[in-house]
Amino acid sequence: MAQKIKLSTIAETLGISTATVSLALRDSPLVAVNTREKIKDQARALGYIYNRRAASLRTSRSGIIGVVVHDIMNPFYGEILKAIESELDRSRHTFILSNHYDSVEKQRTFIETLLQLGGDGVIMSPAIGTPPEDFELAEQNGMPAILVARQIDALDLPTFRGDDSYGISLATNHLISLGHRTIAMIGGTDQTSTGRDRYQGYVNALRKAGIEVDANLRIPGARSKQGGFEAAVHFLSLPQKPTAAVCWNDLVAIGLMNGISRAGLVPGRDISVTGYDDLEEAAIATPALTTVWNGQAEVGRLAARALLDRLAGSHEPDGIHLIKPEMRIRQSTTPYKAR
């Protein structure tokens, strides 16, 4: 077998100290950029592989971050994860990903596994029903936690998410400004902070406009395209005959528009529809979807930065850090026309 390449081997070939090689391979600012690149080139030429386990014994850090979300198939989480990965790459951290699908047990198993691997920290969109003790387990074992998208009221951990109540009020107010008065809300659940806040934003906007809140115009549950498509049957059969719908997210909105089209109506002409998140697909949907930008890339970037700062010794203030949503008006909403 070929002899294992050591740091001392790289140092000897370049005529520098082993300490300098070690610092360079960890991207330490104590080593000049040009020198760092020269050392890395030589390491690659010699076939050196960075030993993360050995480094973790020296530094008490593994360089591993856990990230756990509801469902990576949802592009909303994909955009958050892309931003997290980009930020972690800058500090040579890697992450291990888990989908909990709102299973507290699956999420707990992931945290325990991460602790066994010596994970440095965890970024989480917590599962419905997550007890505070699960986070306390991580924190007590020296693994700080940062929350994204959802919050847990009993905990004061740093939490990064969009201002969901304000964002949904933007969408509802947009429809009201177009003359719509019978506006349904499609999707979501009161079991999450996100669901409660978005519904409250819808209610607040209606009340501020002097529109009576009709509980029958709320169709909860859907959070996917399929869910939105299936909700179209219920939506179109409502006796109140809504002329517009505020949807839980873009996926629900696109599914709802497909269901409306299947029934022979034209979204954006016969019924106005708004989404939420401003996913890439929203702009190329038919019709192009009016939606709310929710800052998911910014959420991911800030969450990763907060965790890295904690690991470096500084402390991101606890509590909720809100990204202010923005309206994106496209073709799926038009002025009210009596049918």
Side-chain angles (χ1 to χ4, degrees), residues 107 126-127 129-132 135 147 150-157 159 193:
Q107 177 181 266
T130 299
F135 290 98
L147 304 187
R150 297 175 178 177
Q151 69 192 63
I152 295 180
D153 295 334
L155 289 175
D156 198 25
L157 293 174
T159 303
S193 59

Side-chain angles (χ1 to χ4, degrees), residues 31-102:
V31 181
V33 174
N34 290 341
T35 303
R36 268 186 267 163
E37 292 306 314
K38 183 178 179 181
I39 291 170
K40 289 179 182 179
D41 288 343
Q42 184 65 7
R44 281 191 289 269
L46 292 172
Y48 174 79
I49 301 297
Y50 182 71
N51 190 328
R52 188 178 294 275
R53 286 185 300 172
S56 69
L57 292 174
R58 294 192 300 270
T59 64
S60 298
R61 295 292 186 196
S62 65
I64 296 173
I65 303 297
V67 181
V68 56
V69 298
H70 172 255
D71 182 8
I72 187 57
M73 293 300 290
N74 185 335
F76 168 80
Y77 287 114
E79 292 183 13
I80 290 178
L81 289 169
K82 183 178 179 180
I84 289 174
E85 182 179 31
S86 178
E87 196 65 30
L88 294 180
D89 280 348
R90 297 186 222 280
S91 60
R92 294 176 64 85
H93 282 76
T94 189
F95 74 80
I96 300 175
L97 173 65
S98 176
N99 297 295
H100 56 59
Y101 305 112
D102 277 326

Side-chain angles (χ1 to χ4, degrees), residues 102-156:
D102 277 326
S103 167
V104 173
E105 187 59 38
K106 182 175 174 59
Q107 177 181 266
R108 185 177 295 131
T109 299
F110 176 73
I111 294 175
E112 291 173 351
T113 301
L114 194 61
L115 286 168
Q116 293 165 8
L117 293 172
D120 292 339
V122 62
I123 299 172
M124 301 181 64
S125 177
I128 291 173
T130 299
E133 295 78 28
D134 285 10
F135 290 98
E136 291 166 1
L137 173 67
E139 294 272 344
Q140 289 168 1
N141 282 275
M143 192 172 73
I146 305 291
L147 304 187
V148 293
R150 297 175 178 177
Q151 69 192 63
I152 295 180
D153 295 334
L155 289 175
D156 198 25

